[in-house]
Amino acid sequence: MNATRVLVLNSGSSSVKYQLLDMRDASRLAVGLVERIGEQTSRLKHTCLSSGDTREQNGPIADHDAALKAVAEELAKDGSGLDSPELAAIGHRVVHGGMFFTEPTVIDDAVLTEIERLIPVAPLHNPANLTGIRTAMALRPDLPQVAVFDTAFHTTMPESAARYAIETKLADRYRVRRYGFHGTSHAYVSRETARLLGRAPEDVNVIVLHLGNGASATAVRGGKCVDTSMGLTPLEGLVMGTRSGDLDPAVIFHLQRVGGMSMDEIDTLLNKRSGLFGLCGDNDMREIRRRMDEGDEQARLAFDIYIHRLKKYIGAYYAVLGTVDAVAFTAGVGENADFVRAAALAGLEGLGLAVDGARNAVRGGEARLISPDGARVAVAVVPTDEEMEIASQTYALVGKDSRGN
Ligand code: ADP
């Protein structure tokens, strides 16, 4: 039997998201989530997409090992457990691959060591990703396991975009540079945008706006990333749900010297209590919209700051690219919030950018154009699919072997 299935695992510090895909027809067989691992109130939610069955388990799941075993049991109930001969590989999302990993990579001891070496630049994410990988490897040591890195798509950035203007020797010693994140999404969406335009990715320049709870913008020239808004960590760039994005680094010195805050407190402030949440107490764009409709001025100001920053990045990446064929909106806010898309491009007609009101208002899960006919620059809504991208990259790497050619 041909092994054509890929299990995609996205392991966070207290959660594991997973999807089982069949790459014969790029179909999704199962999706699920284990959350609050290590607490009394852990929950596993599993949906088998062929039968439509959804099952839930509530109660303590002690660690990632127990979580993955529980996931394996759920998959086995659908007849597609981890021991299934149809399983070709497990694809792992890994947040930080540094400059070393430019491609999806089959995981061995050397790869594990390198991901571990990157922990100082990704202290929140890489340890959790590693735990997931180690657990999966212990369960299926014979199966190829592939790491797909959030940073890989951005390794094509020129040094002029990737370096900060600080002392070179120091930057090199501590690996301080701009890595960028959400790369799997930016890669997928920029390619899908080219497809929507009926053109080859190599022939198209796209500005991708990934607007979720985390948010980032990318300038993509001919299928390759030439600039991105996130930096050493996912804190830089756009205003996000709870992250500040760009600010004068001296704000940190000021908060420490004048405000008496510790570095850890400032870290938490900028990552968890800033952005839309810090500005108005809500980080969900739906709630902010509702409050604005009621005339709430704090919510309006938070929205205006979010849009102002977004517009600045669109302008900046327009200049970086010189010629822009398309602007693509994706992720939770980008795919669903027509008012964000309209506001972000308002007044940019001089750059050939406009949104058609009726097209923008249409909701749907398909990639679609929302610019008026004949627009100089296409504006698109392109639903992202990071799991599909991880599965395709994983399968492309190991599929040949498992097909026996
Ligand atoms: P992440 O993966 O970064 O957690 P998502 O891409 O799932 O985030 O985006 C989540 C965000 O999308 C929510 O915080 C919410 O602000 C926004 N969102 C989801 N649905 C809608 C909607 N219908 N209208 C406006 N915003 C939405």
Side-chain angles (χ1 to χ4, degrees), residues 212-214 283-286 331-333 336-337 363:
N213 207 10
N283 59 336
D284 191 314
M285 201 48 94
R286 286 164 288 201
V333 175
N336 295 301
R363 297 184 62 86

Side-chain angles (χ1 to χ4, degrees), residues 9-13 15-17 64 92-93 125 128-129 131-133:
L9 289 181
N10 181 354
S11 309
S13 56
S15 70
V16 176
K17 288 188 203 144
H64 281 74
H92 295 270
R93 176 189 182 210
H125 295 105
N129 300 155
T131 306
I133 294 171

Side-chain angles (χ1 to χ4, degrees), residues 332-349:
V333 175
E335 290 167 30
N336 295 301
D338 56 348
F339 55 98
V340 169
R341 299 191 295 257
L345 299 183
L348 300 186
E349 294 78 9

Side-chain angles (χ1 to χ4, degrees), residues 90-355:
I90 299 181
H92 295 270
R93 176 189 182 210
V94 179
V95 168
H96 216 311
M99 290 166 70
F100 187 79
F101 295 111
T102 59
E103 304 273 342
T105 306
V106 175
I107 303 169
D108 57 18
D109 285 345
V111 171
L112 283 174
T113 307
E114 188 56 31
I115 297 173
E116 204 163 354
R117 243 166 48 86
L118 288 161
I119 287 177
V121 282
L124 297 179
H125 295 105
N126 275 28
N129 300 155
L130 271 171
T131 306
I133 294 171
R134 290 205 169 101
T135 311
M137 287 178 94
L139 285 177
R140 274 301 304 269
D142 54 316
L143 195 69
Q145 313 241 355
V146 174
V148 178
F149 299 92
D150 267 23
T151 46
F153 184 61
H154 305 304
T155 54
T156 52
M157 262 196 293
E159 288 294 279
S160 52
R163 282 196 176 263
Y164 293 109
I166 61 170
E167 204 179 80
T168 305
K169 240 170 46 192
L170 204 71
D172 288 346
R173 181 177 331 144
Y174 296 110
R175 297 199 269 185
V176 175
R177 58 186 285 123
R178 311 188 55 256
Y179 296 99
F181 298 88
H182 290 147
T184 309
S185 174
H186 286 291
Y188 177 84
V189 170
S190 57
R191 226 182 32 242
E192 285 298 298
T193 304
R195 207 159 65 98
L196 186 66
L197 300 182
R199 295 167 67 180
E202 299 74 42
D203 298 336
V204 178
N205 291 351
V206 189
I207 297 173
V208 180
L209 305 169
H210 177 114
L211 310 176
N213 207 10
S216 63
T218 300
V220 183
R221 175 179 290 134
K224 291 195 159 48
C225 172
V226 292
D227 205 350
T228 192
S229 60
M230 285 176 167
L232 174 76
T233 76
L235 185 54
E236 190 179 342
L238 300 174
V239 175
M240 312 183 207
T242 64
R243 295 188 200 121
S244 63
D246 294 338
L247 44 77
D248 181 345
V251 169
I252 296 163
F253 321 144
H254 184 79
L255 289 175
Q256 197 250 325
R257 290 182 189 138
V258 180
M261 292 174 73
S262 72
M263 278 301 158
D264 284 346
E265 283 168 346
I266 300 172
D267 193 332
T268 305
L269 171 79
L270 298 181
N271 277 293
K272 305 238 165 91
R273 290 197 287 118
S274 297
L276 291 169
F277 178 78
L279 288 165
C280 74
D282 272 309
N283 59 336
D284 191 314
M285 201 48 94
R286 286 164 288 201
E287 191 54 22
I288 289 171
R289 175 61 199 249
R290 194 192 59 72
R291 284 172 56 185
M292 281 197 294
D293 289 347
E294 285 175 353
D296 185 320
E297 282 181 17
Q298 224 188 348
R300 162 57 64 181
L301 180 59
F303 182 77
D304 288 348
I305 294 170
Y306 181 96
I307 295 296
H308 180 74
R309 183 84 53 84
L310 192 53
K311 211 172 251 190
K312 286 208 314 196
Y313 269 92
I314 295 168
Y317 288 172
Y318 207 116
V320 165
L321 290 169
T323 316
V324 179
D325 299 293
V327 172
F329 287 88
T330 194
V333 175
E335 290 167 30
N336 295 301
D338 56 348
F339 55 98
V340 169
R341 299 191 295 257
L345 299 183
L348 300 186
E349 294 78 9
L351 298 178
L353 283 164
V355 164

